[in-house]
Amino acid sequence: MTEIHKLGFVKGDITSLEALVSLAEGYDMNDYVEAGQAEFLEALKTAQDLLADKDNAMQVEIETAESNLLNAMLNLRYKADKSILEEVVAKANQIDANAYTAESYAVLEAAVAEANAVMANEDATQEEVDAAVTSVQTAMDNLVAVDGTPAETPTEDVVQTGQEST
Protein backbone atom coordinates (compact mmCIF):
# COMPACT_ATOMS: atom_id res chain seq x y z
CA MET A 1 0.00 0.00 0.00
CA THR A 2 2.86 2.38 0.86
CA GLU A 3 4.45 1.83 -2.54
CA ILE A 4 1.17 2.47 -4.33
CA HIS A 5 0.76 5.68 -2.34
CA LYS A 6 4.21 6.84 -3.50
CA LEU A 7 3.10 6.52 -7.12
CA GLY A 8 0.89 9.60 -6.60
CA PHE A 9 3.93 11.81 -6.03
CA VAL A 10 5.21 13.55 -9.13
CA LYS A 11 8.85 14.50 -9.48
CA GLY A 12 8.91 18.16 -10.31
CA ASP A 13 10.45 20.28 -13.06
CA ILE A 14 12.89 22.49 -11.26
CA THR A 15 14.05 24.69 -14.18
CA SER A 16 11.67 27.60 -13.55
CA LEU A 17 12.56 27.61 -9.84
CA GLU A 18 16.26 27.66 -10.75
CA ALA A 19 15.70 30.73 -12.94
CA LEU A 20 13.71 32.50 -10.22
CA VAL A 21 16.34 31.74 -7.54
CA SER A 22 19.09 32.95 -9.86
CA LEU A 23 17.25 36.25 -10.32
CA ALA A 24 16.52 36.59 -6.59
CA GLU A 25 20.14 35.96 -5.66
CA GLY A 26 21.07 39.09 -7.60
CA TYR A 27 18.97 41.32 -5.35
CA ASP A 28 20.94 43.69 -3.11
CA MET A 29 19.09 44.05 0.19
CA ASN A 30 20.67 47.49 0.72
CA ASP A 31 18.38 48.80 -2.04
CA TYR A 32 15.19 47.81 -0.20
CA VAL A 33 13.41 48.90 2.95
CA GLU A 34 13.66 46.48 5.86
CA ALA A 35 9.99 45.53 5.74
CA GLY A 36 9.68 42.37 3.67
CA GLN A 37 13.38 41.46 3.69
CA ALA A 38 13.05 38.67 6.28
CA GLU A 39 10.24 37.02 4.33
CA PHE A 40 12.23 37.32 1.10
CA LEU A 41 15.38 35.82 2.62
CA GLU A 42 13.38 32.97 4.18
CA ALA A 43 11.63 32.17 0.88
CA LEU A 44 14.95 32.33 -0.97
CA LYS A 45 16.60 29.95 1.52
CA THR A 46 13.69 27.50 1.22
CA ALA A 47 13.97 27.59 -2.57
CA GLN A 48 17.76 27.16 -2.43
CA ASP A 49 17.37 24.17 -0.09
CA LEU A 50 14.88 22.65 -2.51
CA LEU A 51 17.32 23.17 -5.40
CA ALA A 52 20.08 21.46 -3.39
CA ASP A 53 17.82 18.41 -3.10
CA LYS A 54 16.40 18.69 -6.62
CA ASP A 55 16.49 14.97 -7.30
CA ASN A 56 13.88 14.43 -4.60
CA ALA A 57 11.84 17.61 -5.20
CA MET A 58 8.16 17.04 -5.80
CA GLN A 59 6.10 19.26 -8.12
CA VAL A 60 3.90 20.51 -5.27
CA GLU A 61 6.96 21.60 -3.24
CA ILE A 62 8.47 23.35 -6.26
CA GLU A 63 5.27 25.23 -7.05
CA THR A 64 4.91 26.31 -3.42
CA ALA A 65 8.52 27.48 -3.24
CA GLU A 66 8.15 29.37 -6.54
CA SER A 67 4.96 31.05 -5.40
CA ASN A 68 6.38 32.03 -2.01
CA LEU A 69 9.60 33.38 -3.51
CA LEU A 70 7.81 35.31 -6.24
CA ASN A 71 5.41 36.88 -3.72
CA ALA A 72 8.30 37.80 -1.44
CA MET A 73 10.14 39.39 -4.38
CA LEU A 74 7.06 41.40 -5.31
CA ASN A 75 6.61 42.58 -1.72
CA LEU A 76 10.08 44.11 -1.53
CA ARG A 77 10.00 47.92 -1.71
CA TYR A 78 12.84 50.08 -2.96
CA LYS A 79 14.17 52.65 -0.56
CA ALA A 80 13.14 56.17 -1.46
CA ASP A 81 15.72 58.42 -3.15
CA LYS A 82 16.36 61.14 -0.60
CA SER A 83 19.21 62.94 -2.39
CA ILE A 84 17.06 65.87 -3.58
CA LEU A 85 15.52 66.21 -0.13
CA GLU A 86 18.98 66.35 1.42
CA GLU A 87 20.00 69.12 -1.00
CA VAL A 88 16.86 71.17 -0.35
CA VAL A 89 17.22 70.85 3.44
CA ALA A 90 20.90 71.84 3.24
CA LYS A 91 19.95 74.91 1.19
CA ALA A 92 17.19 75.79 3.68
CA ASN A 93 19.59 75.45 6.61
CA GLN A 94 21.88 78.08 5.04
CA ILE A 95 19.15 80.73 5.04
CA ASP A 96 19.67 83.56 7.52
CA ALA A 97 16.65 83.72 9.85
CA ASN A 98 17.26 87.41 10.61
CA ALA A 99 16.73 88.41 6.97
CA TYR A 100 13.12 87.21 6.93
CA THR A 101 9.98 87.78 8.96
CA ALA A 102 9.54 85.50 11.94
CA GLU A 103 6.25 84.12 10.60
CA SER A 104 7.60 83.17 7.19
CA TYR A 105 10.77 81.72 8.70
CA ALA A 106 8.72 79.68 11.20
CA VAL A 107 6.90 78.04 8.28
CA LEU A 108 10.29 77.13 6.78
CA GLU A 109 11.51 75.74 10.11
CA ALA A 110 8.41 73.56 10.40
CA ALA A 111 8.87 72.27 6.84
CA VAL A 112 12.54 71.50 7.53
CA ALA A 113 11.65 69.68 10.76
CA GLU A 114 9.12 67.56 8.85
CA ALA A 115 11.70 66.90 6.13
CA ASN A 116 14.26 65.79 8.72
CA ALA A 117 11.70 63.34 10.13
CA VAL A 118 11.13 61.92 6.64
CA MET A 119 14.88 61.59 6.08
CA ALA A 120 15.26 59.72 9.38
CA ASN A 121 12.47 57.29 8.44
CA GLU A 122 14.08 54.32 6.65
CA ASP A 123 10.65 53.14 5.48
CA ALA A 124 9.62 56.50 3.99
CA THR A 125 7.91 56.17 0.64
CA GLN A 126 9.01 58.14 -2.41
CA GLU A 127 5.71 60.06 -2.19
CA GLU A 128 6.51 61.18 1.37
CA VAL A 129 9.99 62.27 0.29
CA ASP A 130 8.61 64.18 -2.70
CA ALA A 131 5.99 65.89 -0.52
CA ALA A 132 8.68 66.98 1.95
CA VAL A 133 10.79 68.42 -0.90
CA THR A 134 7.79 70.37 -2.18
CA SER A 135 6.96 71.62 1.31
CA VAL A 136 10.48 72.93 1.97
CA GLN A 137 10.75 74.51 -1.49
CA THR A 138 7.38 76.21 -1.08
CA ALA A 139 8.36 77.52 2.34
CA MET A 140 11.62 78.91 0.90
CA ASP A 141 9.74 80.51 -2.01
CA ASN A 142 7.30 82.12 0.42
CA LEU A 143 9.89 83.68 2.72
CA VAL A 144 9.19 87.37 3.27
CA ALA A 145 12.17 89.65 3.73
CA VAL A 146 12.21 91.90 6.77
CA ASP A 147 12.58 94.99 4.57
CA GLY A 148 9.26 94.21 2.90
CA THR A 149 10.51 92.57 -0.28
CA PRO A 150 9.34 90.60 -2.12
CA ALA A 151 5.83 91.91 -1.65
CA GLU A 152 3.56 90.01 -3.98
CA THR A 153 0.23 91.45 -2.81
CA PRO A 154 -0.76 94.67 -1.03
CA THR A 155 -2.08 92.66 1.94
CA GLU A 156 1.39 91.25 2.51
CA ASP A 157 2.75 94.81 2.62
CA VAL A 158 0.26 95.74 5.31
CA VAL A 159 1.09 92.66 7.34
CA GLN A 160 4.81 93.25 6.94
CA THR A 161 4.50 96.91 7.92
CA GLY A 162 2.58 95.89 11.02
CA GLN A 163 5.28 93.38 11.90
CA GLU A 164 8.08 95.89 11.46
CA SER A 165 6.46 98.47 13.74
CA THR A 166 6.01 96.07 16.65
Side-chain angles (χ1 to χ4, degrees), residues 96-119:
D96 179 16
N98 297 323
Y100 299 97
T101 62
E103 290 82 3
S104 66
Y105 192 76
V107 171
L108 177 61
E109 284 182 315
V112 168
E114 179 184 317
N116 285 330
V118 170
M119 280 198 299

Side-chain angles (χ1 to χ4, degrees), residues 33 77-82 85 117-129:
V33 297
R77 262 191 26 232
Y78 275 109
K79 288 182 179 177
D81 179 7
K82 298 179 183 177
L85 182 58
V118 170
M119 280 198 299
N121 180 3
E122 286 297 316
D123 292 331
T125 64
Q126 191 63 51
E127 291 79 19
E128 291 170 330
V129 171

Side-chain angles (χ1 to χ4, degrees), residues 9-134:
F9 294 111
V10 178
K11 185 174 189 281
D13 179 13
I14 202 111
T15 54
S16 61
L17 182 61
E18 287 173 329
L20 192 59
V21 167
S22 176
L23 177 66
E25 288 173 340
Y27 280 27
D28 181 2
M29 288 297 103
N30 293 323
D31 294 341
Y32 300 95
V33 297
E34 195 170 316
Q37 284 188 17
E39 293 82 2
F40 169 79
L41 294 172
E42 183 180 324
L44 179 58
K45 175 149 181 24
T46 301
Q48 289 168 329
D49 291 346
L50 195 58
L51 287 178
D53 190 29
K54 62 182 167 186
D55 292 334
N56 295 321
M58 295 295 138
Q59 188 63 37
V60 173
E61 294 173 312
I62 294 170
E63 289 171 359
T64 301
E66 278 179 351
S67 176
N68 290 343
L69 181 56
L70 187 57
N71 286 333
M73 291 168 73
L74 293 172
N75 288 331
L76 287 174
R77 262 191 26 232
Y78 275 109
K79 288 182 179 177
D81 179 7
K82 298 179 183 177
S83 58
I84 295 172
L85 182 58
E86 291 167 355
E87 290 174 21
V88 170
V89 168
K91 187 175 176 184
N93 286 333
Q94 294 173 355
I95 294 175
D96 179 16
N98 297 323
Y100 299 97
T101 62
E103 290 82 3
S104 66
Y105 192 76
V107 171
L108 177 61
E109 284 182 315
V112 168
E114 179 184 317
N116 285 330
V118 170
M119 280 198 299
N121 180 3
E122 286 297 316
D123 292 331
T125 64
Q126 191 63 51
E127 291 79 19
E128 291 170 330
V129 171
D130 294 344
V133 167
T134 302

